[in-house]
Amino acid sequence: MRELFLGLRLLVGSGRGNRTRFLLMTVGGAIGVCCLAVVLAIPGILSAQDGRMAARRPIHGADKPYSRVAAEERTFELTRTDPYGSKSFTRVFVAPGKGVPKPPPGLSELPRVGEVFVSPGLHEALKREPALAQLVPGRERGLIAAEGLAHPDELFAYVGMNRGELKEGTPVTGFGKEYPDVPTVEPSTLGILRFTLAGVVLLPLAVFLSVCARLSAASRTRRLAALRLLGLSTKGTQRVNAAETVAAALLGSLLGLGLYWVVNQLISRTGLPGFKWYPSDGALPASAVLICMVGCPALAWFVGRASARKAASNPLAVRRTAVEKPPGKWGLLLLIPGTGVVVGYCVIGATGRAPQDTSVATNLVAISVLLVGSGLALTLPVISRSLAQRLACSTQSLSLALAMRRNESEPHGALRVATGLVVLVFAASLTQGVLIELDQVSKSTRPVQDYNIPLTDVTDKTQQALEAVPGLRSHAVVMDSWADFHGDEIPPSLDAVIATCGQLRKMVVRADGCVDGRPMRLLDPDQLDNSDSKPGASFAFNLASTGQRRVMEVTVPREILRYRDHQGIPVFHSGAVLLPPSALPAGARPEDATLTLLSSSNPQTVRAVLDGIGGVDPTAEVTTPGVVVDSLQQITVVKTLLAVGMVLGLIIGVAAYLVAATDRAVERRPQVTALALLGARPRTLRAVQVTQVVMPLGVGLVLAVVAGKLAESSYLVTGGGAIFWDGDGVPLLLGCAVAVVAVAAVGALPLVGRRIDPELIRRD
């Protein structure tokens, strides 16, 4: 404890410069802890949203409260979820009965017939788009409280209806289950997010906190060497230095947690694009607070002890400014195996042998990427020193020789100044790979969008209204043949498309030779043909006519209509039979059939068509192939969180550079003053300062771009996607690297002043 108190006394009584340095260390630590708290809060926010979604899930099936309630008198519910842009619009239709269960969270009671409870986000959307009210028929009774919503912008409604209107409803006994139907972010996607944030934020954060803990390293080392020569023990010397860094880290942790509280309160109320949460969701759990309050001071303790090792072991060499030992090459132990794995997967992808089991490969690549990033940071001094030594021996330029000799004698200066930005560029390339993979999942390549609605409970009038919804290009009815599933073998089946030639041509890419009024067998050469659809084979189709069941026999015709459907998800299956609408008997309707509507894939058109369908039949079950609203919403959330990670990484990288560059310039003032007194011109000194910063930074950025692209490609190879190599992002990365070098060069110019202060070298 004596050494700890001595370190604190030296901190208070060592002058204004040392107190300023302590303040910088504290502010830097606060920024780092705030960024760390943001990363640690993300799982809690997602978990809180999943918990509220699980608490409102309906519980179906018979239960004790319904033991004396007739089936027709129970409470029924029907949940419909439709896409609304990249959001999901959920409506819960409720038909109250005698056995009314406890209302879900956020409601004081279930809505009665003709009443609607809506979320605040839907309430505002109804004001902007009155046509949206067709999807929630009834009088708005009130708003759903926060306990019943996943996030403030969720589009959610409870609609009260009659039992007769809720034909497909299911008896409900209560609300609340352990897990939500669809989590905010799937566990696999959450793993990708954690891995990316670890590379984008946590790796630069460790570098930044280490830089803050080593501010004024040279002057502190000389002071510690003096204490060691005065009789302080080796461990005591290390504890004195660690006491100062731990005090700064502890105070910075407290300030960082307070700063995070302010940031959470502000951003949670304004929201991020596609992602919003309640302020209480962002409250840090005890484990996260413990990590911030213990982890950061612990890192400062180890860094402080390590930085004082030289002064404690060889104080005379420090006081006499002896030549430093070459940096150790043990960082290659991280870089070489990590690079080997990354390059190996790139070669596998180039030879077309991408791994099928991506779980093991993904984990291996994740570990390798962290090894490459850490090894890149630790081997930068070795590479910088080796290059500086060769350039200093071969150059004829005085400025370049001075700069290279300085980098050769002080290689760890490159680590402090350049590593933050180097790791940032490396992480940016990796993040680009994640965005490419997400884009492959969310990007729609089809020019059209189809909507499938079962015709089980759709009347003729409703069907005509659905076919007349504005924005539709065409429509058709697809009937499924009756099949007897008794036995082990799968019975033969056939699809029958009820449409005119004009309707068919508008629904597919090309259909040549179609003749109205004539049955024809559809054949698409790009699809696998239906083996059951053989000319002359007969299939039975069930029809409903005036309350009675009829059977219509359809024989597969010999005449073939060759057509070409849309790529990806076809609208029709090859081998189906095209029947004219007149083939159906008058007054008969197919029992097992689907109404297929078609429009363009423009998001606005899709939204308008879905609104129109909801206006005709709010409870209609609409299937939109190729559009998975939950996946789109998850991808939006993940992209937003990745953008947050990139912003945090940018803040950390720039802060690390500014802190390290300023601190290094202050430490270099005695050497710059000595060179000025020896006759070096200010232009030469500025060139030396710029070269000292630009050379290691440029080398590190080149390595970061190369290693980052290799890591990105290996991630794409193991991700199971269709894209392995992406060249579009290379110009952007190179442009960012050039901009970083330019900013670093401009930032180094003012570090050489016009006024010479001999007092800076008086002690030397």
Side-chain angles (χ1 to χ4, degrees), residues 119-182:
S119 63
L122 181 57
H123 178 76
E124 296 298 326
L126 289 171
K127 291 182 179 179
R128 296 190 303 267
E129 302 180 38
L132 198 62
Q134 301 174 92
L135 300 177
V136 282
R139 176 179 57 87
E140 185 176 318
R141 171 74 183 281
L143 299 179
I144 305 173
E147 294 80 8
L149 300 174
H151 52 84
D153 285 346
E154 187 177 19
L155 303 179
F156 203 93
Y158 291 95
V159 183
M161 303 190 75
N162 286 318
R163 177 68 187 93
E165 298 175 317
L166 211 59
K167 300 176 182 179
E168 299 181 17
T170 306
V172 58
T173 62
F175 296 89
K177 292 186 177 181
E178 188 175 357
Y179 302 104
D181 288 325
V182 180

Side-chain angles (χ1 to χ4, degrees), residues 179-192:
Y179 302 104
D181 288 325
V182 180
T184 306
V185 178
E186 291 288 346
S188 59
T189 308
L190 186 59
I192 296 174

Side-chain angles (χ1 to χ4, degrees), residues 76-392:
F76 286 75
E77 73 85 28
L78 175 65
T79 302
R80 288 283 182 256
T81 301
D82 299 317
Y84 184 80
S86 61
K87 299 180 180 179
S88 61
F89 178 19
T90 303
R91 297 163 293 158
V92 180
F93 298 92
V94 181
K98 288 187 177 180
V100 179
K102 183 180 178 181
L107 294 183
S108 58
E109 59 178 342
L110 289 174
R112 299 185 179 91
V113 178
E115 295 180 347
V116 178
F117 287 94
V118 299
S119 63
L122 181 57
H123 178 76
E124 296 298 326
L126 289 171
K127 291 182 179 179
R128 296 190 303 267
E129 302 180 38
L132 198 62
Q134 301 174 92
L135 300 177
V136 282
R139 176 179 57 87
E140 185 176 318
R141 171 74 183 281
L143 299 179
I144 305 173
E147 294 80 8
L149 300 174
H151 52 84
D153 285 346
E154 187 177 19
L155 303 179
F156 203 93
Y158 291 95
V159 183
M161 303 190 75
N162 286 318
R163 177 68 187 93
E165 298 175 317
L166 211 59
K167 300 176 182 179
E168 299 181 17
T170 306
V172 58
T173 62
F175 296 89
K177 292 186 177 181
E178 188 175 357
Y179 302 104
D181 288 325
V182 180
T184 306
V185 178
E186 291 288 346
S188 59
T189 308
L190 186 59
I192 296 174
L193 180 64
R194 288 171 177 168
F195 156 66
T196 309
L197 289 179
V200 175
V201 180
L202 298 185
L203 188 58
L205 180 61
V207 174
F208 176 55
L209 293 177
S210 300
V211 167
C212 291
R214 295 197 63 187
L215 289 177
S216 299
S219 60
R220 278 198 291 167
T221 302
R222 291 175 58 86
R223 185 183 64 188
L224 293 173
L227 292 176
R228 179 72 179 92
L229 292 174
L230 290 175
L232 196 62
S233 65
T234 301
K235 292 185 178 180
T237 304
Q238 292 178 328
R239 294 193 189 101
V240 168
N241 188 50
E244 186 177 359
T245 56
V246 168
L250 188 60
L251 182 57
S253 299
L254 293 174
L255 293 177
L257 292 176
L259 180 61
Y260 167 76
W261 183 87
V262 175
V263 170
N264 178 51
Q265 294 295 322
L266 294 177
I267 298 183
S268 62
R269 285 172 169 79
T270 58
L272 298 172
F275 186 54
K276 197 173 183 180
W277 66 94
Y278 292 104
S280 58
D281 295 345
L284 289 176
S287 58
V289 175
L290 186 64
I291 291 175
C292 294
M293 294 299 298
V294 176
C296 294
L299 176 63
W301 171 267
F302 287 110
V303 172
R305 287 179 59 88
S307 60
R309 186 177 296 114
K310 181 180 178 181
S313 60
N314 195 356
L316 286 176
V318 173
R319 295 300 300 178
R320 294 173 180 176
T321 320
V323 178
E324 293 187 9
K325 293 182 179 180
K329 299 181 180 180
W330 60 273
L332 295 173
L333 297 176
L334 302 178
L335 183 61
I336 292 177
T339 305
V341 173
V342 168
V343 173
Y345 277 114
C346 290
V347 173
I348 291 175
T351 56
R353 299 178 180 178
Q356 300 298 324
D357 184 9
T358 59
S359 58
V360 176
T362 302
N363 295 329
L364 185 58
V365 168
I367 297 173
S368 301
V369 167
L370 294 179
L371 291 177
V372 171
S374 303
L376 187 65
L378 295 175
T379 56
L380 186 58
V382 179
I383 299 173
S384 176
R385 183 180 184 276
S386 177
L387 182 60
Q389 190 175 19
R390 294 188 179 185
L391 289 177

